[in-house]
Amino acid sequence: MANLILILGDQLTRDINALENADRDRDLVVMAEVHDEASYTNHHKKKIVLLFSAMRHFARQLESDGWQVHYQAYHPDNQHQSLEAVVGEQVKRLNAEKVITTECGEWRLHEQISGWHERLGVPVEIRPDTRFIASKQEFADWAEGRKQLRMEFFYREMRRKTGLLMTSEGEPEGGQWNFDADNRKKWTGKPPAPAPFRIEPDAITRDVIGLVDEHFGDHFGTTGDFHFAVTAEDAEAALEHFIDFALPCFGDYQDAISDTEDWLFHSILSPYINSGLLDPVTVCEAAAQAWYSGRAPINAVEGFIRQILGWREFVRGIYWMNMPGYAQENRLGNTRALPWFYWTGDTRMRCMHKAIDATRRNAYAHHIQRLMVTGNFALLAGIKPEEICDWYLAVYADAYDWVELPNVLGMVMHADGGYLGSKPYAASGKYIQRMSDHCANCHYKVNKSTESDACPFNALYWHFIDRHRDDFAKNPRMGMMYRNWDKQKPEKREALLQRAENLIANIEKL
Ligand SMILES: Cc1cc2nc3c(=O)[nH]c(=O)nc-3n(C[C@H](O)[C@H](O)[C@H](O)COP(=O)(O)OP(=O)(O)OC[C@H]3O[C@@H](n4cnc5c(N)ncnc54)[C@H](O)[C@@H]3O)c2cc1C
Ligand code: SF4
């Protein structure tokens, strides 16, 4: 009897575990564009185009490799609008012996698939996702018994495991594990940032753009100027483009923000790595090779590899170890609704406007915009974690629950009580001024703190420090901030708190 092999939209690689030992003549691969997956959040239009088009290209590739594929293209009138309904129908039609799939990236879907055995009446084999360097169990074993989980130590384990940037004596290349201290330069326009890699949409992608404009018109963002790669071959070309043109400066300007350049020296590879078009280890090896051949400096290459080998694996481990309770965490007790300008970009705060506008156009903003601009504002303003998490899940082409949730709820909102980060990434306008050229063009004045045109980040920062004294005053990494706060004159403190209260009361008008 035949098996039914389900391949999800973020599993677009021939190496996916579900295909291992399958019989091309007998088994059936099932892929489906369904309403339930495309609409459970307000996904950016470009993200839907990227995934539907990449799925269509991948299904064609499988067929040309000799696989039998049942592919359901999206239509609002399709009878089956959930993965369960599509799989259930094909199980019956095929009289399938079992369903085979690779573990998915989201607790919500994981729960559903775990119930299929009962509801569909066939065994369901869920195979581990071997695209990750650490399995869920390996991460849990590493974490067991540790009081605090620190990415840096886990990252070193991953370096040892893969041998990436390791000498034959088992030492880190360049004599250090981490070159982060070298990676904090402000970018002043030189060297020029490379143009991002672009692929013009082919006929399949153009069809999908039409479909998304027609049926997902109320979703966030635009389909205009779609230029993402949608095949593994083109994603590899995007990787080469990054290595040749951006990697050499990736480290130096990793934390920089620009008023004019959306992409700077970032790789823009996360949409491909997360959907299966690129393999994370291959990406890291290509970067390491660039250092060995003298094409990129160690601070850039180590910094880049640490993001993938360290942070990416680390947040995934945290997600699976702590779900489903993790999604409900709100240890700072935030209650404020997400301001509407997160969806429109309609705010006089230049840094926020620029980050949201880029997000709307590109389904992309780089890490520091996500962390220190839109994230930092949500933290300082006390936005409900659930609402800001929903926003991040919707607006980025690379967003999947397993990676978005720990980054937002843990790293940005500190809603997990410091499980993921030892201190909140709270910062005043000074940080944004130091790392960007936004402030010179802003309606607000970064050097002011209590006046009506003062940068909102300044007063909100001190309000955050003040209202969370019980949470952070004993944190050794925050002690200096409390000493600085306590040193200020009572009138100044009062004026700052007043200004912050006023900003919060008028948050929609900022
Ligand atoms: C609030 C917030 C939300 C985020 N949401 C997502 C998300 O939904 N999906 C996502 O893939 N990343 C997310 N990140 C992490 C990071 O911002 C993006 O991976 C990165 O901006 C993607 O752009 P890039 O490919 O140009 O990355 P680069 O800056 O070129 O970095 C290289 C690669 O490292 C990996 N990486 C870097 N930082 C992280 C991180 N913190 N966690 C996991 N992987 C990382 C990515 O695979 C990325 O492609 C989030 C970060 C923050 C602060
Ligand atoms: S002044 Fe404040 S709000 Fe304006 S760009 Fe600078 S940090 Fe952002």
Side-chain angles (χ1 to χ4, degrees):
M1 269 163 78
N3 292 326
L4 185 155
I5 299 166
L6 173 67
I7 296 188
L8 302 171
D10 58 352
Q11 300 178 342
L12 307 180
T13 165
R14 287 162 163 141
D15 295 329
I16 198 76
N17 211 358
L19 287 175
E20 212 173 292
N21 304 322
D23 184 332
R24 287 175 203 221
D25 299 325
R26 191 194 57 184
D27 297 337
L28 179 70
V29 173
V30 171
M31 296 178 67
E33 300 167 7
V34 288
H35 182 267
D36 281 13
E37 296 306 314
S39 301
Y40 68 85
T41 188
N42 179 20
H43 296 294
H44 195 296
K45 293 190 187 95
K46 281 200 170 86
K47 179 182 180 186
I48 306 179
V49 174
L50 171 69
L51 287 182
F52 281 5
S53 179
M55 286 168 70
R56 291 180 186 197
H57 283 89
F58 184 65
R60 284 198 172 187
Q61 198 179 53
L62 288 179
E63 279 169 344
S64 67
D65 290 350
W67 293 96
Q68 301 178 60
V69 181
H70 170 80
Y71 191 93
Q72 175 175 304
Y74 181 85
H75 194 281
D77 299 337
N78 283 343
Q79 192 189 349
H80 301 301
Q81 294 290 2
S82 69
L83 287 171
E84 179 169 326
V86 174
V87 169
E89 190 206 24
Q90 293 304 314
V91 161
K92 269 197 217 135
R93 194 179 66 77
L94 196 69
N95 193 19
E97 186 174 350
K98 70 172 163 183
V99 173
I100 301 174
T101 189
T102 301
E103 56 195 4
C104 66
E106 198 176 347
W107 183 265
R108 174 193 64 88
L109 189 57
H110 169 76
E111 283 283 272
Q112 287 176 20
I113 296 177
S114 305
W116 286 0
H117 172 57
E118 253 174 39
R119 293 197 295 278
L120 302 182
V122 279
V124 178
E125 182 184 337
I126 304 175
R127 296 185 176 170
D129 191 341
T130 48
R131 291 175 297 167
F132 289 92
I133 295 149
S135 70
K136 293 174 185 174
Q137 190 54 50
E138 210 176 331
F139 185 86
D141 291 345
W142 172 82
E144 200 183 332
R146 286 172 196 260
K147 258 193 178 162
Q148 279 198 321
L149 302 185
R150 289 293 161 254
M151 189 284 291
E152 180 64 27
F153 298 118
F154 174 73
Y155 162 59
R156 293 179 190 180
E157 290 301 311
M158 295 299 99
R159 289 270 296 273
R160 290 192 186 98
K161 178 173 176 178
T162 55
L164 275 159
L165 290 186
M166 297 298 288
T167 66
S168 49
E169 289 79 41
E171 296 298 323
E173 292 284 15
Q176 271 168 243
W177 288 103
N178 184 315
F179 290 81
D180 211 23
D182 300 341
N183 291 357
R184 300 198 180 130
K185 286 195 187 144
K186 181 170 178 162
W187 184 70
T188 52
K190 281 188 190 143
F197 178 80
R198 299 178 60 93
I199 282 281
E200 293 312 316
D202 65 5
I204 295 179
T205 302
R206 287 198 301 273
D207 268 0
V208 176
I209 290 174
L211 179 152
V212 169
D213 282 337
E214 189 179 347
H215 299 300
F216 297 91
D218 57 344
H219 277 231
F220 180 73
T222 65
T223 55
D225 195 30
F226 182 91
H227 61 262
F228 284 115
V230 289
T231 63
E233 207 182 2
D234 289 341
E236 272 154 33
L239 168 61
E240 276 172 36
H241 179 92
F242 166 66
I243 301 273
D244 288 344
F245 299 110
L247 178 63
C249 292
F250 174 86
D252 284 355
Y253 304 109
Q254 195 178 347
D255 285 0
I257 314 177
S258 162
D259 204 55
T260 49
E261 287 289 338
D262 289 339
W263 322 88
L264 287 174
F265 300 91
H266 291 272
S267 69
I268 324 163
L269 295 178
S270 51
Y272 312 137
I273 302 175
N274 293 353
S275 60
L277 297 182
L278 279 180
D279 171 55
V281 174
T282 309
V283 171
C284 292
E285 281 168 354
Q289 204 44 50
W291 179 66
Y292 286 117
S293 59
R295 286 185 294 146
I298 188 78
N299 69 313
V301 171
E302 185 283 317
F304 178 73
I305 289 178
R306 176 160 24 91
Q307 306 310 313
I308 296 178
L309 216 55
W311 280 113
R312 187 170 184 274
E313 295 285 326
F314 185 70
V315 298
R316 182 199 185 232
I318 290 208
Y319 178 84
W320 286 109
M321 241 177 56
N322 294 289
M323 282 300 279
Y326 196 72
Q328 314 306 322
E329 293 273 25
N330 183 7
R331 301 272 185 99
L332 296 183
N334 291 354
T335 54
R336 199 148 292 114
L338 186 74
W340 187 242
F341 56 70
Y342 270 81
W343 297 108
T344 60
D346 197 3
T347 164
R348 288 172 296 178
M349 291 180 282
R350 178 85 176 181
C351 51
M352 290 287 283
H353 166 73
K354 283 282 174 178
I356 297 166
D357 182 55
T359 301
R360 193 185 57 76
R361 285 182 286 108
N362 302 328
Y364 178 88
H366 61 71
H367 186 68
I368 295 301
Q369 288 175 306
R370 298 187 204 195
L371 181 66
M372 299 310 296
V373 180
T374 44
N376 184 26
F377 185 85
L379 173 73
L380 300 184
I383 306 302
K384 275 188 229 160
E386 198 186 338
E387 294 204 9
I388 187 72
C389 287
D390 278 354
W391 183 79
Y392 276 101
L393 185 63
V395 302
Y396 292 115
D398 59 19
Y400 298 87
D401 210 40
W402 66 266
V403 53
E404 172 273 323
L405 192 71
N407 268 301
V408 182
L409 190 136
M411 192 187 299
V412 163
M413 298 306 289
H414 214 75
D416 59 1
Y419 190 65
L420 190 136
S422 56
K423 96 184 221 321
Y425 284 91
S428 69
K430 267 208 188 78
Y431 175 90
I432 296 173
Q433 183 192 28
R434 193 163 65 243
M435 297 314 295
S436 82
D437 53 350
H438 287 317
C439 300
N441 303 312
C442 185
H443 162 83
Y444 295 105
K445 305 290 170 277
V446 71
N447 294 325
K448 296 185 180 177
S449 52
T450 53
E451 298 84 340
S452 61
D453 60 348
C455 169
F457 283 83
N458 292 340
L460 287 174
Y461 173 75
W462 290 117
H463 193 270
F464 173 84
I465 291 289
D466 187 66
R467 75 178 183 266
H468 290 298
R469 186 180 283 276
D470 288 350
D471 299 299
F472 300 124
K474 291 207 180 84
N475 182 328
R477 298 188 63 199
M478 301 281 285
M480 198 175 78
M481 286 305 140
Y482 281 93
R483 284 194 293 281
N484 287 345
W485 178 231
D486 293 340
K487 259 195 283 179
Q488 300 200 35
K489 290 197 173 118
E491 313 83 81
K492 174 78 182 191
R493 282 208 303 262
E494 190 48 38
L496 278 163
L497 294 179
Q498 270 298 323
R499 163 78 176 149
E501 291 290 343
N502 192 275
L503 290 166
I504 288 169
N506 294 290
I507 200 165
E508 294 290 355
K509 296 187 198 136
L510 295 182

